[in-house]
Amino acid sequence: QVRLVESGGGLVQSGGSLRVSCVASGIILHIYTMRWYRQAPGKQRELVATIFSSGTTNYVDSVKGRFTISRGNAKNTVYLQMNTLKPEGTAVYYCNADLSRLDDGTSRNYWGQGTQVTVSS
């Protein structure tokens, strides 16, 4: 079994900062790409940031220069540091990962349960 568990969401004022975290656990052989998505009320889920196993990162244009995705030393943790938050950043933030399992070696995609981020104006 594999689990992705997010934490660190909450309420922050516009212009403030917040860091959300995601820990992957279970029968994991290797974690390849990790991503952060967000879904605002009434909107489609949006890819916010990606970090590849090489360390290369990508961001949606709306967060470039304000958000930073990174991985922990153990490589099973991914962070999203969010600075200069705006009210339109209010959403549920989801962790997503491509990883291979110890039991069968197959690569699959997994989602966390999400963490709520609310930015007040």
Side-chain angles (χ1 to χ4, degrees):
Q1 185 173 351
V2 173
R3 294 183 67 200
L4 301 181
V5 179
E6 300 97 334
S7 62
L11 174 65
V12 63
Q13 287 188 333
S14 181
S17 298
L18 203 62
R19 188 177 81 161
V20 291
S21 305
C22 171
V23 179
S25 63
I27 49 172
I28 298 170
L29 176 62
H30 185 76
I31 301 175
Y32 301 97
T33 302
M34 301 189 84
R35 308 171 186 88
W36 284 100
Y37 284 78
R38 66 186 177 187
Q39 188 165 20
K43 295 190 175 182
Q44 288 188 329
R45 194 169 294 189
E46 172 189 42
L47 176 60
V48 176
T50 303
I51 184 164
F52 300 94
S53 55
S54 64
T56 301
T57 58
N58 286 331
Y59 299 91
V60 67
D61 285 347
S62 59
V63 308
K64 284 181 180 177
R66 299 187 297 117
F67 288 15
T68 302
I69 188 172
S70 61
R71 289 177 71 166
N73 290 333
K75 304 301 182 185
N76 67 329
T77 302
V78 63
Y79 305 100
L80 185 68
Q81 176 68 42
M82 302 180 287
N83 298 328
T84 319
L85 280 160
K86 304 176 182 180
E88 52 264 41
T90 295
V92 178
Y93 284 73
Y94 296 92
C95 177
N96 175 273
D98 297 328
L99 57 88
S100 55
R101 295 166 56 114
L102 275 169
D103 54 351
D104 59 13
T106 59
S107 295
R108 303 179 189 180
N109 185 262
Y110 290 87
W111 290 90
Q113 82 289 349
T115 185
Q116 176 70 46
V117 172
T118 303
V119 185
S120 64
S121 57

